[in-house]
Amino acid sequence: EEPGFWYGRRLVARLRAAHTAAGFLTVAAAVSVPAARHDRTADSPVPQVLGAALEAGLVLCAVVTVWVVCRRGRSESARDTRLDGALITYLPGSALALLVLAVLHAGWSRPAWESSGSLPGEAVFRFLAVAQGLLVVILALVARSLYRRIPEPRTTLYGLGGPSVAMLACALGGVMTGGVAQRVADWLDGPGTPGTGRGSIIEGPPVLLSWQASVIPVLLLMLLAPVLYLVVRTARRARRMGPDIEAEYAPEPPDRARTRRIARIRATAALTDSAPWIVGVVSAATLFLGAAAVVGSWTSGEVPGLATDGAAAPVASLAEAAQSTGSWLIGLGFILFVAGGRRAYRDASARRTIGILWDVGTFWPRAAHPFAPPCYAERAVPDLASRMCAWTATTRGRLIISGHSQGSVLAAAAVWQLPATARRRVGLLTYGSPIERLYGRWFPAYFGAVPLLGLHDSVHCWRNLWRATDPIGGPVRLATDHDPRVDRGPLKDPLAYGRTTALPLPEPILGHSDYQADPVFAQERTALLEELGPRLPRQTGGEEGGRLHKSGGRSSG
């Protein structure tokens, strides 16, 4: 309901400038610090004052960058357009200029200096890995404390959903960058294998990267047990559903193949509610194995294959196999990632699946991830809210906002932006909606039971349609003493069990799509129109009064 919630342009611009500057400064520090250190400890033809001035400039620019991230944009009452413009314009340029100066300074001829080993920063790299893990643990403790203070029964992992995703994000970033570093080092080293000391010209990337890659096969083996458990549980659930499905479509004669297919789709759709536990298990295993990788690299100082030299033959063989397998799995994962993106352009089914993840990932404002794709809701929500508010104020009419899937979330967000007088003239018709099943569980502060109950009480009326075969949509589950009459479902899917004279072909199982084809959709839309009242809007043009309702009946997403 905050007026500026969907306006993050200035904040994103500041954060983008700060993150870009931080990237330039990181590379500049890695290049300039070794040269400046050599100039201070040896007879160098390069004046020491140049290195000191460059380091001072790096520190100053780094302080400004951190200050921009921590301080700027925290006030909604004071305008700071001029200062914002200066920071956005000059901060990345200053960092880039320092990088260029660092390259020129490091390239100054130093005849007595013979470089060897790797660039400094391995200890810093380990420190950053440990710091990320500690921050995730602290975030988990804070989230758990908040959950105990205000418990939401259906919150994902009892409040630990956010820290779990943060842990997986850190691990994915580390694995992908580590894999690129290893592959580049292997390419530069020719026939040698960096990090093994066996015919290698260069030492290779930090040892921690090899340890992180080595734990990937271990992590995949650890995931076999929970995945097999879900497969067995889903199969058992599908078998138990058989008699209920046949009773639901009685008195039609049973068809075992048809029953098994319906039961399998319903049981598979229910896996969405179990997905958070897989995320939690993977996150916990990642944290444990990541800590083991840090400890192993810190104590041994060698890659796993060399660290286990002298150990028992099976241990050494397993370490060598994990190191090589993990390295190639990273490369395979990158190839699969690119291939998946390419497949999405050719396969409508793959494009639809990726589109669902894309919709969720780009819904929220980019306040914390300025390099993410643009947030479409920053335009869709204000535009839709403005149009609803202007139409109800001009015509004194009433509206039904119809939203399918992600469109239902956009509709709810837009209704929240309306003033109270306009909300009372709006009815909601949602179907296949993840507003509680996904958003309510992962973001309870915005879409939990209390906010959704407030939304229901503030609009004129609301209906939500859902199916048991839908892996995305679900009921709203308003927890109230009175009957809110919001959820209608589960709808029958398929509409007919077998072949009839009217339906010579088996009815398809629709799942998440084509809710408008169900007769219940037309019934509920008619009921909402009657509940809104017979008042008709004053027409200002030549359009028919029912056209808006037809437009509102389309899916919003």
Side-chain angles (χ1 to χ4, degrees):
E1 297 180 4
E2 293 292 335
F5 185 85
W6 298 105
Y7 182 74
R9 182 177 178 181
R10 285 171 48 197
L11 179 59
V12 170
R14 282 192 296 265
L15 289 177
R16 186 188 299 117
H19 283 67
T20 304
F24 288 148
L25 293 175
T26 301
V27 181
V31 172
S32 63
V33 169
R37 184 181 303 168
H38 172 267
D39 295 338
R40 288 193 297 267
T41 59
D43 186 14
S44 174
V46 182
Q48 297 184 15
V49 66
L50 295 180
L54 184 58
E55 289 178 329
L58 292 174
V59 172
L60 178 61
C61 195
V63 170
V64 174
T65 300
V66 174
W67 176 75
V68 169
V69 173
C70 298
R71 179 61 182 164
R72 304 306 304 163
R74 294 296 185 259
S75 173
E76 293 294 337
S77 59
R79 291 180 59 85
D80 50 4
T81 306
R82 180 178 301 176
L83 186 56
D84 275 353
L87 289 173
I88 294 170
T89 303
Y90 296 112
L91 184 58
S94 301
L96 180 59
L98 287 173
L99 174 58
V100 173
L101 292 176
V103 172
L104 294 176
H105 177 259
W108 200 308
S109 177
R110 297 173 177 84
W113 186 24
E114 292 184 4
S115 60
S116 62
S118 60
L119 287 172
E122 178 132 357
V124 176
F125 191 80
R126 291 198 192 105
F127 171 78
L128 291 176
V130 173
Q132 282 185 332
L134 290 177
L135 286 174
V136 170
V137 171
I138 294 172
L139 181 63
L141 295 176
V142 173
R144 185 62 181 167
S145 175
L146 291 174
Y147 178 81
R148 285 198 301 265
R149 189 182 307 168
I150 309 176
E152 289 276 357
R154 284 182 53 79
T155 300
T156 301
L157 298 177
Y158 303 103
L160 298 180
S164 299
V165 174
M167 184 71 256
L168 294 181
C170 293
L172 182 61
V175 165
M176 295 300 289
T177 54
V180 171
Q182 285 186 318
R183 297 274 68 82
V184 171
D186 196 25
W187 170 64
L188 292 174
D189 200 43
T193 303
T196 62
R198 300 164 184 167
S200 297
I201 303 173
I202 60 176
E203 291 192 15
V207 173
L208 178 58
L209 295 179
S210 297
W211 282 87
Q212 288 178 337
S214 300
V215 303
I216 295 178
V218 182
L219 177 62
L220 295 178
L221 291 175
M222 293 176 65
L223 290 179
L224 287 178
V227 169
L228 288 176
Y229 168 75
L230 284 180
V231 171
V232 172
R233 192 183 70 169
T234 302
R236 289 180 176 178
R237 179 181 293 176
R239 284 198 299 269
R240 290 196 299 266
M241 287 181 180
D244 295 334
I245 292 174
E246 293 175 352
E248 179 182 343
Y249 289 95
E252 296 192 38
D255 183 345
R256 293 184 60 183
R258 181 72 161 170
T259 299
R260 281 198 303 268
R261 185 164 185 267
I262 298 173
R264 184 175 67 252
I265 292 178
R266 290 186 181 182
T268 305
L271 285 176
T272 302
D273 300 319
S274 303
W277 291 105
I278 294 294
V279 174
V281 169
V282 175
S283 178
T286 300
L287 180 61
F288 172 76
L289 293 175
V294 172
V295 172
S297 65
W298 214 312
T299 55
S300 66
E302 301 284 352
V303 296
L306 294 180
T308 54
D309 281 349
V315 175
S317 299
L318 288 175
E320 191 76 31
Q323 178 181 333
S324 58
T325 304
S327 178
W328 285 108
L329 282 176
I330 293 175
L332 177 62
F334 185 79
I335 294 174
L336 292 177
F337 181 78
V338 175
R342 180 180 177 83
R343 180 169 174 260
Y345 283 97
R346 299 184 176 183
D347 187 351
S349 177
R351 184 164 58 251
R352 191 179 305 113
T353 302
I354 295 176
I356 293 171
L357 300 176
W358 187 272
D359 284 346
V360 176
T362 56
F363 171 75
W364 296 104
R366 294 181 292 170
H369 41 92
F371 292 122
C375 168
Y376 61 89
E378 287 187 345
R379 177 172 181 178
V381 171
D383 283 359
L384 181 58
S386 175
R387 183 167 184 177
M388 288 191 293
C389 189
W391 195 87
T392 53
T394 302
T395 66
R396 311 299 295 173
R398 301 182 180 186
L399 291 170
I400 289 180
I401 304 301
S402 171
H404 171 248
S405 191
Q406 187 69 14
S408 65
V409 184
L410 286 171
V415 170
W416 262 311
Q417 290 281 311
L418 296 177
T421 55
R423 287 191 203 178
R424 287 297 176 184
R425 297 179 175 274
V426 171
L428 278 176
L429 177 58
T430 57
Y431 38 100
S433 172
I435 196 169
E436 193 282 334
R437 192 178 189 183
L438 297 181
Y439 283 86
R441 299 188 66 191
W442 288 92
F443 310 102
Y446 299 97
F447 292 98
V450 175
L452 290 181
L453 180 59
L455 178 65
H456 168 258
D457 292 339
S458 64
V459 297
H460 193 283
C461 48
W462 186 5
R463 295 291 187 278
N464 179 67
L465 313 181
W466 64 282
R467 299 183 179 125
T469 55
D470 190 343
I472 299 173
V476 176
R477 304 176 189 268
L478 292 182
T480 58
D481 295 333
H482 63 281
D483 180 16
R485 297 188 300 125
V486 172
D487 287 320
R488 175 75 185 271
L491 305 183
K492 184 177 288 189
D493 186 33
L495 294 175
Y497 182 76
R499 301 171 187 259
T500 64
T501 55
L503 300 171
L505 296 177
E507 281 290 288
I509 302 175
L510 300 176
H512 186 59
S513 61
D514 291 334
Y515 274 82
Q516 296 94 330
D518 196 303
V520 175
F521 180 88
Q523 297 171 10
E524 291 299 331
R525 184 174 57 184
T526 302
L528 283 176
L529 289 171
E530 294 176 354
E531 191 171 344
L532 277 173
R535 177 185 295 181
L536 295 177
R538 296 196 307 269
Q539 299 300 317
T540 58
E543 296 183 358
E544 298 180 358
R547 182 167 299 180
L548 180 62
H549 297 311
K550 292 180 181 179
S551 176
R554 298 176 190 163
S555 168
S556 300

